[in-house]
Amino acid sequence: MAELNLVQAINQGLAQAMEADDKVVLLGEDVGLNGGVFRVTEGLQKRFGPERVLDTPLAELGIVGASVGMAVYGLRPVCEIQFEGFLPAVMDQVICHMGRLRNRSRGRHTVPMVIRAPHGGLVHAPEHHSESPESYFMHTPGIKVVAPATPKDAKGLIIAAIKDPDPVIYFEPKRIYRALKEDVPDQPYEVPIGKARVAKEGKDVTLISWGAMVHTCLEAAKKLSVEGVEAEVIDLRTIAPLDLEAILSSVAKTGRAVIAQESPKTCSVASEISALIHERALLKLQAPVKRVSGWDARMPLFRLEKYYVPDADRVVRGVKETLQF
């Protein structure tokens, strides 16, 4: 077992998936010779050859469209979009084809492909490089959406995503790409898509998040603990499908829920989770569900992004509002 960061863990997962199945191919801008914009695919072209790790033109819609065709004809493409802010360029293929082909063909065709994309802010990037667009894809039927928060989960989820018979959007929290390490099993393994984990147990309030914001919630839980408040932290791992059972089980125990996310609040993943909790567990609640979000504005440039992305103190304030209700 080696101690790996997220980049290394995803790289190892990709390599092992390619070793296990020669139908797995990688494609994207600079994924071959340069190893991708964040070096997640570093060394894989040299190891597996240019026919399985393909450098593409700068054409996001073409990358995803070609991947849809490859998947229908029996390959398992994993394509990289260099930054999540360029995903709107691929929405025609995602909405009109990738997410519909199984239904359109009445099950004769599936689309076993993965779109990998870095996710979120706080890396001092320019415009279109720090977005949180997961709600677009959660809203689109036929697509699974995952967002790991740890290296161990990152490896297991990328292998599970590649093996999945249906398309998966795989968001990589770029601000923690190299910020943390943990022991990652050497052998291939899967983390099931659609299963959340309890990152920290507690009894007073449930904090729900995904990706890098899980670590913000853990920091907030640590601050709350000093004040005698024990927060339970749920790491969703998967945004679509949601592990609603895990969410409701925790809320039934604590009676309060705070959802933390980087994206704008309106019509967001947090909005959907809040609605589900109120629909399914209203009588378990001791306070309305609280959303701690980015603002309803585009992500600002780097001088202001720390005021946009919720920090632990904003999560703590959200928790205190629910406790004082």
Side-chain angles (χ1 to χ4, degrees), residues 259-281:
I259 309 155
Q261 63 179 11
E262 294 188 30
S263 72
K265 178 186 284 186
T266 301
C267 295
S268 62
V269 174
S271 303
E272 177 64 17
I273 296 171
S274 174
L276 287 167
I277 294 172
H278 284 107
E279 284 176 354
R280 308 289 183 90

Side-chain angles (χ1 to χ4, degrees), residues 279-290:
E279 284 176 354
R280 308 289 183 90
L282 181 63
L283 298 182
K284 303 289 185 184
L285 291 173
Q286 298 179 47
V289 176
K290 178 74 178 177

Side-chain angles (χ1 to χ4, degrees), residues 32-46:
L33 188 62
N34 287 339
V37 66
F38 288 101
R39 305 296 181 262
V40 174
T41 56
E42 190 166 42
L44 298 181
Q45 188 183 62
K46 185 176 181 181

Side-chain angles (χ1 to χ4, degrees), residues 289-310:
V289 176
K290 178 74 178 177
R291 291 172 288 165
V292 179
S293 299
W295 309 112
D296 282 345
R298 66 169 176 80
M299 172 71 82
L301 298 179
F302 62 87
R303 287 184 179 176
L304 295 175
E305 65 179 351
K306 68 179 180 181
Y307 300 107
Y308 184 95
V309 177

